[in-house]
């Protein structure tokens, strides 16, 4: 257990459906992330939230809409998805946005949830 | 044509042997690197990190080597165990993290 939970673990949806993915972290972290891991590409960063404010949007299509109502919860709202959006969607959290400490070493390690396996038909 | 999926390189090692997993990174300005382990059905798990002002860092049974000249990172696992079987991938950080495709490590009994 990493302290980051995701629901549902598996989701099958049609292209006209609207669904939401939920992530919750129990670590007291301030930053949360959505990543996409597909069969065809390495892990890709989608969104970064720091203190409930979106600070990064990596050219993600508008059919993916994130929401961060508080520092412990992160949602990814899905609508009119395409079959190529089928992937493992991973949530992660870290104490703060990644940066290096002045003293060096590990800093702002990201803790990942188990992911939601999404299939779009 | 379009590829069916990522073809992950696979490394098969005998239990008890040492494993070396390699990663080529792309950005010479990257200043921080991490190795992750991802077991089947789980999210990535941090293993070890290294800053660009270092060329070697050791953890428990793992060592990361950084060669900035050729932009190469390696992960060495000593006395590989069955529980080490997973996909391993590196990440480089400039502003945010960019992840490599990964290598599948298979430990043979």
């Amino acid at each position: 257990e990493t302290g980051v939970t995701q629901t549902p673990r598996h989701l099958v949806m049609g292209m006209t459906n609207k669904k939401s993915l939920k992530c919750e972290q129990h670590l007291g972290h301030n930053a949360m992330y959505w990543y996409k891991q597909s069969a065809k590409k390495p892990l890709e960063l989608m969104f970064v939230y720091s203190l409930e404010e979106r600070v990064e949007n990596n050219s993600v299509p508008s059919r993916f809409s994130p929401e961060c109502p508080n520092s412990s919860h992160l949602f990814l709202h899905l609508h009119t998805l395409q079959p190529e959006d089928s992937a493992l969607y991973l949530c992660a959290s870290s104490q703060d946005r990644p940066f290096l400490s002045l003293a060096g070493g590990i800093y702002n390690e990201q803790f990942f949830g188990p992911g939601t396996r999404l299939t779009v038909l | 044509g379009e590829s069916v999926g990522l073809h992950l390189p696979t490394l098969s090692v005998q239990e008890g042997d040492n494993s070396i997993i390699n990663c080529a990174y792309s950005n010479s300005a990257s200043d921080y690197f991490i190795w992750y382990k991802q077991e089947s059905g789980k999210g990535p798990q941090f293993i070890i990190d290294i800053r660009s002002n270092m060329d070697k860092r050791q953890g428990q049974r793992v060592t990361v080597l950084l060669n900035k000249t050729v932009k190469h990172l390696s992960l060495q696992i000593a006395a590989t165990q069955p529980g080490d079987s997973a996909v391993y991938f590196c990440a480089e950080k400039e502003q945010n993290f960019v992840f490599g495709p990964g290598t599948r490590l298979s430990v043979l009994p």
Side-chain angles (χ1 to χ4, degrees):
Chain A
E1 282 293 329
T2 63
V4 181
T5 57
Q6 290 186 244
T7 54
R9 293 294 307 275
H10 300 271
L11 178 63
V12 179
M13 60 187 289
M15 289 190 284
T16 58
N17 291 158
K18 289 185 180 181
K19 296 287 183 183
S20 295
L21 309 185
K22 180 183 176 182
C23 175
E24 184 173 359
Q25 57 97 357
H26 313 276
L27 302 167
H29 288 168
N30 294 321
M32 297 187 76
Y33 311 77
W34 279 116
Y35 286 90
K36 176 183 178 182
Q37 189 174 41
S38 69
K40 298 178 182 178
K41 294 183 180 181
L43 199 62
E44 299 173 90
L45 177 66
M46 299 175 72
F47 300 104
V48 180
Y49 275 82
S50 178
L51 296 171
E52 301 144 48
E53 179 182 340
R54 190 191 309 182
V55 295
E56 190 83 23
N57 176 345
N58 267 14
S59 303
V60 179
S62 59
R63 57 186 184 269
F64 295 92
S65 175
E67 179 191 0
C68 188
N70 56 64
S71 59
S72 299
H73 294 86
L74 186 65
F75 294 90
L76 188 62
H77 303 300
L78 316 171
H79 64 98
T80 59
L81 294 193
Q82 305 297 312
E84 58 265 29
D85 296 322
S86 298
L88 181 69
Y89 287 85
L90 290 159
C91 174
S93 73
S94 64
Q95 185 59 54
D96 288 292
R97 285 201 67 191
F99 65 93
L100 297 177
S101 71
L102 293 177
I106 300 172
Y107 222 92
N108 283 318
E109 175 187 346
Q110 293 183 33
F111 293 82
F112 285 84
T116 294
R117 175 68 63 185
L118 174 67
T119 302
V120 182
L121 302 176
Chain B
E2 198 173 40
S3 61
V4 174
L6 274 179
H7 174 66
L8 294 183
T10 299
L11 174 66
S12 296
V13 298
Q14 210 70 38
E15 182 179 353
D17 287 353
N18 297 335
S19 304
I20 300 176
I21 301 170
N22 297 304
C23 178
Y25 65 93
S26 56
N27 190 341
S28 56
S30 293
D31 57 4
Y32 183 54
F33 305 87
I34 299 178
W35 276 102
Y36 285 93
K37 172 186 180 183
Q38 188 171 19
E39 297 175 89
S40 181
K42 295 184 180 180
Q45 178 187 3
F46 175 98
I47 301 175
I48 192 169
D49 67 336
I50 189 168
R51 296 181 66 187
S52 58
N53 63 352
M54 305 167 69
D55 53 22
K56 180 179 180 179
R57 192 164 190 220
Q58 288 185 290
Q60 188 178 18
R61 273 201 315 120
V62 294
T63 301
V64 56
L65 300 177
L66 175 63
N67 185 332
K68 293 181 289 294
T69 303
V70 295
K71 292 189 286 187
H72 183 267
L73 197 65
S74 70
L75 176 70
Q76 300 178 2
I77 304 174
T80 311
Q81 302 169 0
D84 295 327
S85 293
V87 173
Y88 291 81
F89 53 90
C90 65
E92 59 180 302
K93 185 189 88 65
E94 193 187 4
Q95 182 179 6
N96 280 306
F97 287 100
V98 176
F99 295 83
T103 296
R104 188 177 305 281
L105 176 65
S106 178
V107 181
L108 307 173

